[in-house]
Amino acid sequence: MIIVLTGVPGTGKTAIAQLLAKSLKPKHQLVSLNDLVKKHKLYSAIDPSDNSKIVHLPGLKSAINTMTVTVTNMLIEGHLACEFCIPEADLVLVLRTNPNELRERLGKRKYPKHKLNENVMAEALDYCLLLSQKNYPEKIVFELDTTGKSAVQSAKEAQKLITAKKKPKKKFVNWSEQLFSLTVPLQLHKKENKK
Ligand SMILES: Nc1ncnc2c1ncn2[C@@H]1O[C@H](COP(=O)(O)OP(=O)(O)OP(=O)(O)O)[C@@H](O)[C@H]1O
Ligand SMILES: [Mg+2]
């Protein structure tokens, strides 16, 4: 099975994928798209404002798609997996985290403020979910809410979804009701009021 784990940075892709790689049967080869970018230098520049790589997406897409045609069982993790289609994918799991909790998790990374805000906003606006639904067949795109859980609990839930290959009936992720209680939009809102 080709399983894709995607989601905004900090939603727990790497943590969950490492746990899943130990428990999945048969064994799945774990591939991190971030590692692939570094290994094959699939970037054109590094943004000095936040040290992030400007990734060459066609190159990354080609590198991962070359791998998936020869490997039967693979677990691919990376936020960039939502930006294009991996045609061999059987299941795309979009990890979600309440933006307030995501802010706390990313706060531990010492990101510059603008990078932290961008990622929290991306999650609040369903960025990875919407792109995954655009780029992959909708029936293989599942969401998994990691809010208020440990990585171990989330990995167990992911394992259940993978085994069942059945979409949960409830649509459980919707941050829009909380948009105005988020730190980032609230700051924008206040600024506009001052004009
Ligand atoms: N329910 C949860 N599921 C996954 N990770 C969690 C959970 N709760 C807390 N965490 C913690 O959040 C952090 C998530 O970091 P991780 O590196 O896995 O994110 P990521 O999605 O791979 O980010 P990036 O896209 O930057 O690589 C880890 O320190 C992890 O232990
Ligand atoms: Mg990661």
Side-chain angles (χ1 to χ4, degrees), residues 13-15 34 77 109:
K13 301 173 295 291
T14 303
N34 289 349
E77 65 100 355
R109 291 188 179 184

Side-chain angles (χ1 to χ4, degrees), residues 156-192:
K156 279 187 188 156
E157 276 189 34
Q159 170 89 51
K160 272 190 201 159
L161 283 174
I162 292 163
T163 312
K165 272 213 271 175
K166 216 162 92 189
K167 234 182 212 189
K169 284 200 179 101
K170 196 167 75 161
K171 191 189 180 320
F172 49 83
V173 177
N174 179 3
W175 311 132
S176 63
E177 285 154 11
Q178 299 163 42
L179 211 54
F180 290 103
S181 62
L182 301 178
T183 322
V184 182
L186 217 56
Q187 283 172 346
L188 298 173
H189 190 63
K190 275 183 193 156
K191 219 188 253 173
E192 276 168 18

Side-chain angles (χ1 to χ4, degrees), residues 21-147:
K22 288 184 197 150
S23 66
L24 281 174
K25 294 208 172 54
K27 196 173 167 47
H28 283 57
Q29 183 185 342
L30 177 56
V31 177
S32 149
L33 294 186
N34 289 349
D35 290 350
L36 216 55
V37 166
K38 272 187 231 156
K39 189 174 162 197
H40 298 291
K41 295 206 169 46
L42 299 169
Y43 53 94
S44 53
I46 297 182
D47 183 341
S49 75
D50 57 14
N51 245 355
S52 60
K53 295 181 181 68
I54 314 296
V55 175
H56 184 244
L57 284 178
L60 178 61
K61 182 181 172 181
S62 164
I64 191 67
N65 284 338
T66 305
M67 293 174 81
T68 55
V69 289
T70 54
V71 180
T72 319
N73 294 310
M74 192 183 283
L75 176 59
I76 302 161
E77 65 100 355
H79 71 278
L80 292 173
C82 70
E83 300 280 349
F84 48 77
C85 183
I86 300 169
E88 304 293 326
D90 297 296
L91 181 69
V92 178
L93 217 45
V94 185
L95 301 185
R96 308 301 308 271
T97 306
N98 178 293
N100 290 327
E101 184 170 324
L102 188 65
R103 169 171 286 281
E104 279 174 31
R105 286 192 205 168
L106 292 176
K108 293 178 189 152
R109 291 188 179 184
K110 299 192 174 79
Y111 275 179
K113 204 173 169 189
H114 77 272
K115 186 170 175 176
L116 196 150
N117 287 346
E118 271 169 23
N119 283 311
V120 173
M121 281 299 281
E123 177 58 12
L125 298 173
D126 302 333
Y127 179 83
C128 280
L129 175 68
L130 294 175
L131 268 190
S132 298
Q133 287 171 333
K134 175 176 166 273
N135 288 324
Y136 294 89
E138 205 180 329
K139 65 173 195 283
I140 69 161
V141 178
F142 293 20
E143 285 177 288
L144 192 138
D145 188 358
T146 70
T147 312

